[in-house]
Amino acid sequence: EVQLVESGGGLVQAGESLRLSCAVSGITFDDYTIGWFRQAPGKEREGVSAIVNSDGTIYYADSVKGRFIIYSDNASNTVYLQMTSLKPEDTAVYYCAASWIWAGMDLDEFEYWGQGTQVTVSS
């Protein structure tokens, strides 16, 4: 059974930091792209960042470049999203997802999804 389990969300003030974790099991971790997406109330789910474990390719949305860092720990099959200088507009439910290929942050290309973790940034 494939599982992606997010953790690390919470309530912080603007300017503070959070680190999200995505623990992956049931797939060959090194073969998959792991992406982070977020969905704010009333908005569509959007891609935030992704890491292609097979070759180290990394993607960031323009809105988070310079503030978020994604990295993998292959020993524990976990992908982290270090978020700094958080803004109120970063408030959303954050999801991690796994894709066999890397074709950009196309939601339809990500086969497996976690349940999400809430991030709330107060001003």
Side-chain angles (χ1 to χ4, degrees), residues 97-119:
S99 174
W100 173 251
I101 64 170
W102 171 238
M105 302 300 284
D106 183 346
L107 274 69
D108 291 337
E109 297 295 344
F110 286 80
E111 305 102 293
Y112 306 107
W113 290 81
Q115 81 288 349
T117 186
Q118 176 71 47
V119 172

Side-chain angles (χ1 to χ4, degrees), residues 32-56:
Y32 277 76
T33 294
I34 305 298
W36 284 98
F37 296 80
R38 66 186 181 187
Q39 188 165 20
K43 295 189 177 181
E44 293 187 351
R45 194 170 297 189
E46 63 174 358
V48 174
S49 182
I51 184 164
V52 183
N53 283 324
S54 60
D55 68 6

Side-chain angles (χ1 to χ4, degrees), residues 13-80:
Q13 293 188 335
E16 294 185 340
S17 300
L18 278 175
R19 189 181 74 165
L20 305 183
S21 301
C22 174
V24 180
S25 60
I27 57 175
T28 304
F29 186 74
D30 291 353
D31 290 343
Y32 277 76
T33 294
I34 305 298
W36 284 98
F37 296 80
R38 66 186 181 187
Q39 188 165 20
K43 295 189 177 181
E44 293 187 351
R45 194 170 297 189
E46 63 174 358
V48 174
S49 182
I51 184 164
V52 183
N53 283 324
S54 60
D55 68 6
T57 298
I58 287 176
Y59 164 87
Y60 295 107
D62 287 343
S63 58
V64 306
K65 278 181 184 175
R67 300 189 299 122
F68 291 10
I69 296 174
I70 189 171
Y71 59 100
S72 283
D73 179 354
N74 287 22
S76 63
N77 287 2
T78 301
V79 173
Y80 298 95

